PDB file of all heavy atoms in Angstrom:
ATOM      1  N   ASN A1061       1.585   4.736  20.808  1.00 98.00           N
ATOM      2  CA  ASN A1061       2.709   5.099  19.919  1.00 98.00           C
ATOM      3  C   ASN A1061       3.518   6.236  20.648  1.00 98.00           C
ATOM      4  O   ASN A1061       3.654   7.317  20.177  1.00 98.00           O
ATOM      5  CB  ASN A1061       2.100   5.648  18.644  1.00 98.00           C
ATOM      6  CG  ASN A1061       1.311   4.658  17.905  1.00 98.00           C
ATOM      7  OD1 ASN A1061       1.010   3.561  18.420  1.00 98.00           O
ATOM      8  ND2 ASN A1061       0.861   4.983  16.711  1.00 98.00           N
ATOM      9  N   ARG A1076       2.125  10.183  22.986  1.00 98.00           N
ATOM     10  CA  ARG A1076       1.095  10.643  22.061  1.00 98.00           C
ATOM     11  C   ARG A1076      -0.267  10.483  22.779  1.00 98.00           C
ATOM     12  O   ARG A1076      -0.688   9.381  23.113  1.00 98.00           O
ATOM     13  CB  ARG A1076       1.021   9.748  20.835  1.00 98.00           C
ATOM     14  CG  ARG A1076      -0.284  10.118  19.959  1.00 98.00           C
ATOM     15  CD  ARG A1076      -0.242   9.385  18.694  1.00 98.00           C
ATOM     16  NE  ARG A1076      -1.517   9.618  17.962  1.00 98.00           N
ATOM     17  CZ  ARG A1076      -1.907   9.209  16.798  1.00 98.00           C
ATOM     18  NH1 ARG A1076      -1.054   8.464  16.146  1.00 98.00           N
ATOM     19  NH2 ARG A1076      -3.029   9.476  16.246  1.00 98.00           N
ATOM     20  N   TYR A1120       2.362  13.640  16.280  1.00 98.00           N
ATOM     21  CA  TYR A1120       2.030  12.310  16.749  1.00 98.00           C
ATOM     22  C   TYR A1120       3.253  11.304  16.540  1.00 98.00           C
ATOM     23  O   TYR A1120       4.279  11.784  15.865  1.00 98.00           O
ATOM     24  CB  TYR A1120       0.667  11.750  16.076  1.00 98.00           C
ATOM     25  CG  TYR A1120       0.742  11.595  14.639  1.00 98.00           C
ATOM     26  CD1 TYR A1120       1.113  10.396  14.000  1.00 98.00           C
ATOM     27  CD2 TYR A1120       0.209  12.508  13.765  1.00 98.00           C
ATOM     28  CE1 TYR A1120       1.033  10.214  12.568  1.00 98.00           C
ATOM     29  CE2 TYR A1120       0.097  12.454  12.413  1.00 98.00           C
ATOM     30  CZ  TYR A1120       0.507  11.266  11.818  1.00 98.00           C
ATOM     31  OH  TYR A1120       0.428  11.124  10.435  1.00 98.00           O
ATOM     32  N   ASP A1121       3.143  10.206  17.068  1.00 98.00           N
ATOM     33  CA  ASP A1121       4.137   9.109  16.965  1.00 98.00           C
ATOM     34  C   ASP A1121       5.549   9.587  17.250  1.00 98.00           C
ATOM     35  O   ASP A1121       6.488   9.446  16.406  1.00 98.00           O
ATOM     36  CB  ASP A1121       4.069   8.483  15.514  1.00 98.00           C
ATOM     37  CG  ASP A1121       2.755   7.765  15.265  1.00 98.00           C
ATOM     38  OD1 ASP A1121       1.893   7.756  16.192  1.00 98.00           O
ATOM     39  OD2 ASP A1121       2.538   7.303  14.186  1.00 98.00           O
ATOM     40  N   LYS A1229       3.302  -1.796   3.497  1.00 98.00           N
ATOM     41  CA  LYS A1229       4.231  -0.734   3.905  1.00 98.00           C
ATOM     42  C   LYS A1229       4.988  -1.077   5.167  1.00 98.00           C
ATOM     43  O   LYS A1229       4.537  -1.963   5.922  1.00 98.00           O
ATOM     44  CB  LYS A1229       3.542   0.641   4.040  1.00 98.00           C
ATOM     45  CG  LYS A1229       2.452   0.676   5.173  1.00 98.00           C
ATOM     46  CD  LYS A1229       1.890   2.033   5.269  1.00 98.00           C
ATOM     47  CE  LYS A1229       0.610   2.033   6.066  1.00 98.00           C
ATOM     48  NZ  LYS A1229       0.106   3.467   6.292  1.00 98.00           N
ATOM     49  N   TYR A1259      -1.322  -3.985  11.568  1.00 98.00           N
ATOM     50  CA  TYR A1259       0.110  -3.529  11.850  1.00 98.00           C
ATOM     51  C   TYR A1259       0.749  -4.545  12.808  1.00 98.00           C
ATOM     52  O   TYR A1259       0.297  -4.785  14.005  1.00 98.00           O
ATOM     53  CB  TYR A1259      -0.012  -2.235  12.583  1.00 98.00           C
ATOM     54  CG  TYR A1259      -0.143  -1.046  11.621  1.00 98.00           C
ATOM     55  CD1 TYR A1259      -1.348  -0.753  11.108  1.00 98.00           C
ATOM     56  CD2 TYR A1259       0.895  -0.106  11.406  1.00 98.00           C
ATOM     57  CE1 TYR A1259      -1.554   0.309  10.283  1.00 98.00           C
ATOM     58  CE2 TYR A1259       0.717   1.000  10.624  1.00 98.00           C
ATOM     59  CZ  TYR A1259      -0.487   1.201  10.034  1.00 98.00           C
ATOM     60  OH  TYR A1259      -0.675   2.274   9.178  1.00 98.00           O
ATOM     61  N   VAL A1295      -8.616   1.869  16.481  1.00 98.00           N
ATOM     62  CA  VAL A1295      -8.135   1.324  15.131  1.00 98.00           C
ATOM     63  C   VAL A1295      -7.792  -0.163  15.535  1.00 98.00           C
ATOM     64  O   VAL A1295      -6.603  -0.415  15.999  1.00 98.00           O
ATOM     65  CB  VAL A1295      -7.063   2.103  14.540  1.00 98.00           C
ATOM     66  CG1 VAL A1295      -6.628   1.519  13.191  1.00 98.00           C
ATOM     67  CG2 VAL A1295      -7.374   3.549  14.353  1.00 98.00           C
ATOM     68  N   VAL A1298      -3.669  -3.166  15.617  1.00 98.00           N
ATOM     69  CA  VAL A1298      -2.437  -2.399  15.430  1.00 98.00           C
ATOM     70  C   VAL A1298      -1.483  -2.689  16.619  1.00 98.00           C
ATOM     71  O   VAL A1298      -1.881  -2.532  17.798  1.00 98.00           O
ATOM     72  CB  VAL A1298      -2.726  -0.876  15.365  1.00 98.00           C
ATOM     73  CG1 VAL A1298      -1.426  -0.138  15.219  1.00 98.00           C
ATOM     74  CG2 VAL A1298      -3.624  -0.555  14.301  1.00 98.00           C
ATOM     75  N   PHE A1300       2.272  -1.149  17.272  1.00 99.00           N
ATOM     76  CA  PHE A1300       3.083  -0.106  16.650  1.00 99.00           C
ATOM     77  C   PHE A1300       4.229   0.333  17.605  1.00 99.00           C
ATOM     78  O   PHE A1300       3.966   1.177  18.519  1.00 99.00           O
ATOM     79  CB  PHE A1300       2.172   1.094  16.294  1.00 99.00           C
ATOM     80  CG  PHE A1300       2.722   2.099  15.350  1.00 99.00           C
ATOM     81  CD1 PHE A1300       2.503   2.016  14.013  1.00 99.00           C
ATOM     82  CD2 PHE A1300       3.550   3.105  15.763  1.00 99.00           C
ATOM     83  CE1 PHE A1300       2.907   2.984  13.108  1.00 99.00           C
ATOM     84  CE2 PHE A1300       4.019   4.062  14.884  1.00 99.00           C
ATOM     85  CZ  PHE A1300       3.748   4.021  13.634  1.00 99.00           C
ATOM     86  N   ASP A1321      -4.235   1.736  18.409  1.00 98.00           N
ATOM     87  CA  ASP A1321      -4.264   3.256  18.522  1.00 98.00           C
ATOM     88  C   ASP A1321      -5.084   3.673  19.740  1.00 98.00           C
ATOM     89  O   ASP A1321      -5.778   4.756  19.618  1.00 98.00           O
ATOM     90  CB  ASP A1321      -4.938   3.808  17.175  1.00 98.00           C
ATOM     91  CG  ASP A1321      -4.072   3.804  16.053  1.00 98.00           C
ATOM     92  OD1 ASP A1321      -2.980   3.133  16.115  1.00 98.00           O
ATOM     93  OD2 ASP A1321      -4.398   4.408  15.063  1.00 98.00           O
TER      94      ASP A1321
HETATM   95  C1  BMA B1182      -0.408   5.099  10.773  1.00 83.54           C
HETATM   96  C2  BMA B1182      -0.126   6.190  11.906  1.00 83.54           C
HETATM   97  C3  BMA B1182      -0.061   5.675  13.248  1.00 83.54           C
HETATM   98  C4  BMA B1182      -1.196   4.682  13.494  1.00 83.54           C
HETATM   99  C5  BMA B1182      -1.370   3.747  12.334  1.00 83.54           C
HETATM  100  C6  BMA B1182      -2.656   2.779  12.492  1.00 83.54           C
HETATM  101  O1  BMA B1182      -0.454   5.710   9.533  1.00 83.54           O
HETATM  102  O2  BMA B1182      -1.184   7.149  11.909  1.00 83.54           O
HETATM  103  O3  BMA B1182      -0.086   6.620  14.178  1.00 83.54           O
HETATM  104  O4  BMA B1182      -0.893   3.921  14.709  1.00 83.54           O
HETATM  105  O5  BMA B1182      -1.480   4.383  11.127  1.00 83.54           O
HETATM  106  O6  BMA B1182      -3.781   3.569  12.523  1.00 83.54           O
END
Side-chain angles (χ1 to χ4, degrees):
N1061 300 4
R1076 171 173 177 180
Y1120 61 92
D1121 296 0
K1229 59 175 166 175
Y1259 282 71
V1295 182
V1298 179
F1300 194 99
D1321 284 11

